[in-house]
Amino acid sequence: MRLAIADSERCVGCQSCMFACSRRQGEAGLAASCIGVRSIGGMERGFTVVVCRACDNPPCVAVCPTDALKRRKGRGIALDAARCIGCGHCRDACILGAVFWDDEINKPMICVHCGYCVQFCPHGVLEFVKRGTIGNATG
Amino acid sequence: MLPDDPLANVLHIDLTGKAYWMEKRQDLFEACIGGAGVAIRLLNEECPAGCDALGRENPIILAIGPLTGLFPLASKTVAMFKSPHTGNLGESHCGGRSATAIRMAGCGAIVIKGASHFPIYLAIHDGKVYFRDASSLWGMESSFTVGRIIRENEPGAGIRTIMRIGRGGEQLVSYACVTAESYRHFGRLGLGAVFGSKKLKGVVISGRRSLPVSNKKEYRHLYEEVYRKAVESLVMRKYHDLGTAENVLVLNSMGGLPTRNLQEARFEEAAGISGEAFAEQFLGRRLACSHCPVACIHIAALREPYEDESYFYKTSMISYDYEPIYALGSMLGISDARGFLKLMDEVEKLGIDAISTGVILAWATEAMKRGIVSASEASGVKLNWGDHHGYMDAARLIVEQPNEFYRALARGVEYASSTYGGEDYALALGANEMPGYHTGPAAHAGVLIGARHSHLDNAGYSIDQKDTGARRPGAEELARNLLEEERWRQILSSLVVCFFARGIYGPETVSKALRLAGLDLATEDLRRIGKDIHRDKCRFKTREGFSLRELRIPRRILETETPLGQCSESAMREVLEHAERIIEKEEAEAH
Ligand code: SF4
Ligand code: SF4
């Protein structure tokens, strides 16, 4: 299963998903969130949801010089924090902007496709689907 | 409170010296929670008695609460300042991303003092303050453009708030607003003019951080409970569906919708500007404040052809709510939804409060019809019920202020009528233009008693609407009920919980949520603190010369029938006297 964007046009910009992702990791606030929502040049034009889309050949994995990032079976990317040197190549390689950064420990944060945030999207923007289902990259 | 909670940080910014510093004020947040409670304390500390509201010594206080960033719907920022509009307590609340952004930037309150000698805007990122030259933004026609430019120049996309003023604030219109995220406002009582007087064009705030909670497991549990209630409960349905605009037909059918300067309380063409009509023909998008699943913000898409070239269109996105529909719609006899939207858009661009603007234009229309204002005084602008063109011109002239008449309109209806006459139909209560509820005596008494002369202070209109005539509350009971509601609302606005969510945040839930934020307050403590905050506000008002006894009650309010019949002046005065006595008695007990 993986997280997918069903329809970003329905997004109201409430950030509930962002807060949910942080909470899933035992944090309140936004620092730990692996999903982001921002307006497309002004809220009147709607929003785009930025999150890892579990690519088949993830560029972030390809550029990591220390093999700290691995594709997980079934869903997303796993970080081996002990190998990560915080060089930021993965962040630069993701053109979706879906590699978030933990400034405190200077390491990447990437969605693990747990689906928790889906339960908190009140307007049907996010969905949790079978791998292989075609979804929007970022909405 | 929790020792590592950044809420205790008060960020002080001195615009004169272009300096800033953080101060730990745990004491404040522990004693009065946040939001309104903290803001009134800071205002009492920072605002010298009798100061000029447009002078550099008038501080701007912004405060948020302990639940912001932790729980849904704690999404308001409370601003306090001395109001240039009433010359007394200025308090207004704004949603958008403002509250979450302040919390994530690492503080609980911001105090802005002094004045810059050239236009600037403030960029506050992660608790650091940058003073940016805003000379190229000053004088710009549309506040939307100002927002766009700041957006393109600053980091923090998706997690920032962009507050800014329009020309109205620059020109010190006493009811100029501050706009955040294009569609939310510190609308009432003239914060925009205070910004303008300081040459402060805008404030952008962003940050990203984790917040401490006392028990992670319970936190998740209570969060889910509050979230589910917000999403599922019927309480919120109204704001989901048609938004606050639903009220148009409701108030109209009961005969409480102020129309054509409240000459009537029913608008025969209300259907044209009803929530239903907007939803069917114009609703183009729904938006939410930060951390609010409800998304009550309704945006209309207005498509207009260009006159000079065929097959050229522009589509404007314009937000609508009940209050602006009343003030810029029924109050001006406008039933054409497109006309209303154009006027609304103009008022947004200018950055002036929609309610005050509508009520002032309604007075001006009647004043012209009665011949106390001449066409030449109005610079040739013709004000006619239902004609949005004239009103758009007049709104622009209020901001430009080419002559005495428009300078008077730029100071509000209380002032304009004191100069030109027509007080009987100058619809201000406590010098603030009236909200859109002519539901009965409780609505108007509530606004008069309310510390910020807003219908939201104590919701008198809802007391009227519950009145079945079976047992009408006496003057003393009414005063008590209004004050009791107002005190509880001090708690909500100290938590900065959106009033639309008041049904979800009852005393028990509040107490539980606060415990997770490290504040141990039982429901009795909350009631006591609510009283204290209200008393602090009353003290400020008295210090600045306010007296319930001296309030003016416009005749028009008494003459036009409400759904509960005509209001009598003596009955209203009796309510005010009781309220005064209750406040004085409690003040004496507090000493
Ligand atoms: S699926 Fe899980 S990890 Fe990914 S954004 Fe949602 S909550 Fe965060
Ligand atoms: S929870 Fe849904 S509607 Fe809200 S910001 Fe996230 S994707 Fe958008």
Side-chain angles (χ1 to χ4, degrees), chain B residues 418-479:
Chain B
S418 72
T419 314
Y420 288 85
E423 287 100 330
D424 285 352
Y425 50 90
L427 293 166
L429 299 170
N432 194 25
E433 286 71 21
M434 73 172 274
Y437 297 87
H438 191 55
T439 50
H444 297 306
V447 175
L448 287 163
I449 292 170
R452 54 191 177 121
H453 305 295
S454 157
H455 59 297
L456 293 171
D457 280 331
N458 45 40
Y461 59 92
S462 125
I463 297 183
D464 287 330
Q465 279 162 280
K466 284 184 201 129
D467 187 331
T468 55
R471 199 192 69 85
R472 202 143 277 175
E476 186 175 356
E477 190 184 342
L478 188 52

Side-chain angles (χ1 to χ4, degrees), chain B residues 98-147:
Chain B
S98 62
T100 303
I102 293 174
R103 188 85 159 107
M104 292 290 108
C107 50
I110 301 175
V111 178
I112 303 173
K113 288 180 285 199
S116 175
H117 57 280
F118 58 93
I120 55 163
Y121 77 84
L122 294 171
I124 304 172
H125 299 298
D126 276 319
K128 287 205 182 67
V129 180
Y130 305 86
F131 297 85
R132 314 262 206 235
D133 190 331
S135 304
S136 29
L137 297 174
W138 204 258
M140 201 165 258
E141 209 177 289
S142 163
S143 71
F144 289 111
T145 318
V146 172

Side-chain angles (χ1 to χ4, degrees), chain A residues 11-35:
Chain A
C11 177
V12 296
C14 68
Q15 301 180 323
S16 297
C17 52
M18 296 164 64
F19 284 105
C21 185
S22 280
R23 266 195 329 284
R24 181 196 66 90
Q25 301 168 70
E27 299 276 342
L30 288 176
S33 183
C34 302
I35 183 167

Side-chain angles (χ1 to χ4, degrees), chain B residues 472-520:
Chain B
R472 202 143 277 175
E476 186 175 356
E477 190 184 342
L478 188 52
R480 259 182 213 294
N481 289 348
L482 288 168
L483 286 171
E484 195 174 317
E485 180 65 24
E486 184 156 350
R487 287 168 181 151
W488 173 248
R489 287 184 177 220
Q490 300 316 306
I491 295 300
L492 295 177
S493 49
S494 298
L495 300 163
V496 300
V497 162
C498 176
F499 285 166
F500 294 159
R502 61 187 176 274
I504 293 164
Y505 281 99
E508 275 79 33
T509 307
V510 169
S511 173
K512 270 196 240 165
L514 281 175
R515 195 159 325 122
L516 290 163
L519 286 169
D520 233 323

Side-chain angles (χ1 to χ4, degrees), chain B residues 33 38 44 58 66 87 115 185 221 230 269 286 362 390 480 544 563:
Chain B
I33 303 175
V38 163
N44 272 318
N58 188 14
H185 310 90
H221 189 78
E269 293 168 358
R286 294 255 307 272
R480 259 182 213 294
E544 296 297 319

Side-chain angles (χ1 to χ4, degrees), chain B residues 252-447:
Chain B
N252 192 51
S253 69
M254 72 173 73
L257 177 68
T259 301
R260 287 179 284 259
N261 205 33
L262 194 58
Q263 295 180 82
E264 299 114 297
R266 269 206 178 87
F267 187 27
E268 64 290 351
E269 293 168 358
I273 48 168
S274 63
E276 288 78 355
F278 282 111
E280 261 166 42
Q281 298 160 38
F282 297 100
L283 181 55
R285 195 171 283 290
R286 294 255 307 272
L287 299 175
C289 293
S290 198
H291 219 163
C292 165
V294 180
C296 79
I297 308 170
H298 285 54
I299 311 285
L302 177 67
R303 178 170 174 263
E304 291 168 280
Y306 279 92
E307 272 158 25
D308 56 345
E309 195 170 355
S310 49
Y311 295 101
F312 259 78
Y313 289 87
K314 75 167 176 185
T315 303
S316 314
M317 303 297 278
I318 304 154
S319 100
Y320 62 89
D321 258 305
Y322 172 68
E323 294 293 339
I325 295 177
Y326 133 73
L328 300 173
S330 65
M331 202 58 167
L332 300 177
I334 294 178
S335 61
D336 165 23
R338 304 179 75 86
F340 160 77
L341 286 171
K342 285 187 205 170
L343 177 58
M344 179 76 214
D345 197 37
E346 189 62 43
V347 167
E348 289 271 33
K349 280 182 191 150
L350 294 167
I352 49 182
D353 178 47
I355 302 181
S356 289
T357 305
V359 173
I360 290 160
L361 291 174
W363 172 83
T365 310
E366 196 171 336
M368 280 183 87
K369 296 211 179 300
R370 290 176 184 264
I372 64 169
V373 176
S374 69
S376 71
E377 274 171 312
S379 305
V381 174
K382 292 199 182 64
L383 299 179
N384 287 309
W385 304 124
D387 174 14
H388 66 272
H389 300 286
Y391 292 124
M392 286 169 73
D393 291 340
R396 282 189 284 265
L397 290 171
I398 284 175
V399 169
E400 294 316 319
Q401 297 163 44
N403 63 19
E404 223 22 75
F405 176 63
Y406 286 105
R407 272 195 288 281
L409 293 189
R411 292 176 64 175
V413 82
E414 188 81 17
Y415 177 83
S417 63
S418 72
T419 314
Y420 288 85
E423 287 100 330
D424 285 352
Y425 50 90
L427 293 166
L429 299 170
N432 194 25
E433 286 71 21
M434 73 172 274
Y437 297 87
H438 191 55
T439 50
H444 297 306
V447 175

